[in-house]
Amino acid sequence: MSIILQLSSTQIPKTRRRLHSLLLYQLSTIGAKLWGKEIRRQTSIRPMSVLCLALCLLFWNCAQKTDQASNPPPGTPVRDFPDTPVGNMVNNHVGTLVAVGEDAEAKYQASLQQLRSQIPEVVKVIHEAYLKMDTSRYFRRWALVETLRELHSDSTLPILIQIASSLIPPEKWSDPETSSRDKESHIRVTAVEGIADLAQRGNRSAEQALARFFNHEDLSVRRQAIRGYLSSGQDFRERADYLQKTLPEKDHWLINLDLTNVKRVPHPDIPEDLSAGEAKKRASTPRIKQ
Amino acid sequence: MKSRMTLLACLFLVVFAAIVIAATCYYQPGDNNDSGDNFYGGFICSQAYIDQFWDHFDFDRGDWDDGFGYDDPCNVNQPLARTFNALYLLAYSAEDYAKRTSDFSGNALRWGYPYSATMIDELDGRCGSGNKNSGARATTYWGFWVDDRTVLQWPFFYGENVVERAGTIVHEARHASDKSHNGGSGCPRGASCDTDWNYHGANMYQVLYLWWFHVEGTRTTSAMRNYARLEGQRIIDTGFNTNPGYTI
């Protein structure tokens, strides 16, 4: 019992610890009675069952605490780009893309400007890196497509079409609340946004390419293609009429260029005061290594 | 004698079960630049922030030791620092971020942190599947007979970037306020569905946070705000039985 008590006191937090103190008290009482043969044979089944159940519950909770994490592989960035001036430029850029701080956006925009000064080489480096990249690196792949989109260059069109047209692979994850198909969708939606951007800049091939995605299996891709097409010219009404005739009726609600204003959507009524209290320094707070 | 034998057998079984259930998992940080952890890691490595997060989310040593980061809270290869990164983003992405956990004014970008700190009883770190590409990223437990807690697992630590992790925390915070999903498998993604926007469920809260991050997020890049838009739109398109019809 003392071993169990020691386990529980060090490894079971808060509410559970309180509940388990009570449980352990009950347990030790029953255990002592059993050990001392104070319980008659005919009545021993019930306390034994309770004891077993309680022990199972206790150890189940303790087992939850025994997870261990170890063997950190070095978290050093993987080298996706050649060790050339342009390769290094792209490598630095994907870093600025996720940066944080007051100057994060300014540095990101400056990096984009730098890339735009050497578009042919940059596009080549990004395309090669994308093709050889492990497909499970969803965010990096998206970051490369986002960079292509931001170049606003006609030379990116074939690559964007290729990426947007690629089939979305079957689901690989098992989390009900997020999926690998979501991440694959993000990549293709961004590619379609890039195509739409070129179409808005007058690239007729890009405008025609958008039509390929009007019936895409993925709603987010379809929506982006439709919006891109609608915004590619001044003749919105004609384009909308064309889409009304072309698209299945279930998708007619997508034929618009409206963006929803987040201020106008229903919001929850957040109570004014649900204070969790202000931060207090606790003895158990982890300390930074000196 | 029989009772003693039964007791011993029972003890053997439960100890054996405990050993079997115990999990060992291995860090999977991948590229910490990609996930944003290297950048946020520079900010959270401050004792004041660590004290704040530790207290507001009621972390416990027993849930974060044994390699989960308690002994090295600045190490972004380990789960604890990666969780702190998400909490930093959650707390400080609004221009006029909330300075008290009792301040619920403003939009979701602002109240996301106070709301989560208030609703989540405690944050625990676990292996889960031990694989960043499988299993649930986070699960919140609540109820009368349950120790209220939000358990973060491998796909959360290593399968999500910092922005996604912050959205996940807001999502779980909504569950922690006793709000389950109510849409069964009736939405396009087939699980964890809310019937509609007006249910005010976890999907709505997560979308609102991401949406406001897209619109007003500060100290970040327009690329990450675009990514938040994609994430939010995706949940709108797949997480509701009745699509609310919003376009971010």
Side-chain angles (χ1 to χ4, degrees), chain B residues 1-2 8 26 30 73 81 91 94 116 131 135 154 156 186 197 234 244-245:
Chain B
M1 189 63 188
K2 192 178 177 183
L8 285 172
Y26 301 98
S116 301
N131 180 342
W154 242 230
F156 172 86
W197 186 264
R234 190 69 183 170

Side-chain angles (χ1 to χ4, degrees), chain A:
Chain A
M1 280 302 166
S2 64
I3 295 168
I4 298 170
L5 269 171
Q6 201 174 11
L7 264 177
S8 69
S9 63
T10 57
Q11 295 188 316
I12 302 174
K14 271 185 39 176
T15 323
R16 249 180 298 172
R17 191 176 299 142
R18 288 193 290 274
L19 278 172
H20 285 213
S21 299
L22 188 66
L23 186 65
L24 281 169
Y25 174 76
Q26 303 275 5
L27 264 175
S28 51
T29 310
I30 295 169
K33 284 181 178 175
L34 275 173
W35 215 254
K37 294 184 180 175
E38 288 176 17
I39 296 176
R40 289 199 302 271
R41 184 185 170 84
Q42 62 267 31
T43 58
S44 66
I45 294 169
R46 196 168 161 220
M48 280 304 292
S49 307
V50 171
L51 181 65
C52 262
L53 276 173
L55 278 170
C56 283
L57 175 67
L58 174 67
F59 272 85
W60 181 77
N61 274 292
C62 287
Q64 296 276 310
K65 299 283 159 266
T66 57
D67 284 5
Q68 291 184 340
S70 61
N71 292 348
T76 49
V78 180
R79 186 86 201 179
D80 293 318
F81 311 104
D83 189 12
T84 62
V86 172
N88 291 331
M89 199 192 297
V90 176
N91 192 49
N92 291 338
H93 174 74
V94 291
T96 64
L97 187 144
V98 291
V100 60
E102 298 293 345
D103 57 353
E105 178 64 11
K107 285 182 176 171
Y108 174 64
Q109 291 301 331
S111 177
L112 279 172
Q113 281 302 335
Q114 208 180 7
L115 293 184
R116 286 175 192 138
S117 69
Q118 299 195 52
I119 282 180
E121 296 87 351
V122 167
V123 171
K124 185 170 179 284
V125 163
I126 290 178
H127 190 207
E128 287 174 358
Y130 184 90
L131 291 177
K132 71 179 183 188
M133 193 165 287
D134 187 316
T135 55
S136 70
R137 296 179 63 199
Y138 303 101
F139 184 76
R140 172 58 65 93
R141 286 167 60 214
W142 171 82
L144 294 182
V145 179
E146 173 74 0
T147 304
L148 287 175
R149 184 185 74 81
E150 284 283 11
L151 293 176
H152 309 304
S153 166
D154 290 340
S155 65
T156 62
L157 182 60
I159 304 169
L160 292 172
I161 292 174
Q162 181 189 15
I163 293 170
S165 306
S166 58
L167 287 176
I168 295 180
E171 182 54 50
K172 293 179 179 169
W173 297 353
S174 53
D175 186 331
E177 297 187 340
T178 186
S179 74
S180 62
R181 287 178 66 85
D182 290 349
K183 311 306 171 193
E184 293 283 1
S185 171
H186 294 346
I187 292 166
R188 285 155 186 78
V189 169
T190 303
V192 172
E193 284 175 347
I195 298 168
D197 172 74
L198 296 177
Q200 286 158 19
R201 291 167 189 269
N203 187 320
R204 291 282 298 158
S205 301
E207 187 182 325
Q208 287 162 8
L210 288 171
R212 295 189 197 186
F213 307 105
F214 290 163
N215 294 303
H216 196 279
E217 57 166 326
D218 188 279
L219 167 62
S220 306
V221 174
R222 287 203 302 278
R223 178 195 286 111
Q224 208 54 53
I226 291 166
R227 294 177 63 82
Y229 175 73
L230 286 171
S231 59
S232 296
Q234 302 299 317
D235 50 344
F236 173 84
R237 196 62 264 158
E238 288 77 5
R239 287 168 185 268
D241 289 344
Y242 169 74
L243 289 172
Q244 289 275 354
K245 290 172 194 158
T246 311
L247 297 180
E249 203 169 322
K250 71 176 176 62
D251 280 347
H252 284 187
W253 67 284
L254 297 173
I255 306 172
N256 69 77
L257 276 174
D258 300 335
L259 287 177
T260 311
N261 184 341
V262 66
K263 293 178 183 171
R264 293 193 183 147
V265 306
H267 279 55
D269 293 324
I270 299 292
E272 287 184 3
D273 187 4
L274 287 168
S275 176
E278 297 312 308
K280 302 177 288 293
K281 192 177 267 186
R282 291 160 59 191
S284 65
T285 306
R287 314 304 297 175
I288 295 173
K289 282 184 174 177
Q290 298 301 319

Side-chain angles (χ1 to χ4, degrees), chain B residues 78-155:
Chain B
Q78 299 189 7
L80 183 58
R82 296 172 88 89
T83 306
F84 286 159
N85 282 348
L87 295 179
Y88 181 90
L89 183 141
L90 192 56
Y92 301 113
S93 291
E95 186 62 52
D96 58 338
Y97 57 84
K99 295 182 178 61
R100 288 173 292 112
T101 52
S102 55
D103 182 357
F104 290 81
S105 60
N107 59 49
L109 189 63
R110 201 169 183 282
W111 55 249
Y113 181 89
Y115 179 81
S116 301
T118 303
M119 292 304 175
I120 290 176
D121 192 67
E122 65 178 64
L123 279 179
D124 299 352
R126 295 289 181 273
C127 291
S129 64
N131 180 342
K132 66 180 176 184
N133 290 322
S134 71
R137 57 197 164 151
T139 309
T140 295
Y141 300 89
W142 72 93
F144 186 73
W145 292 106
V146 179
D147 177 25
D148 296 345
R149 63 199 190 277
T150 294
V151 178
L152 307 174
Q153 305 181 126
W154 242 230

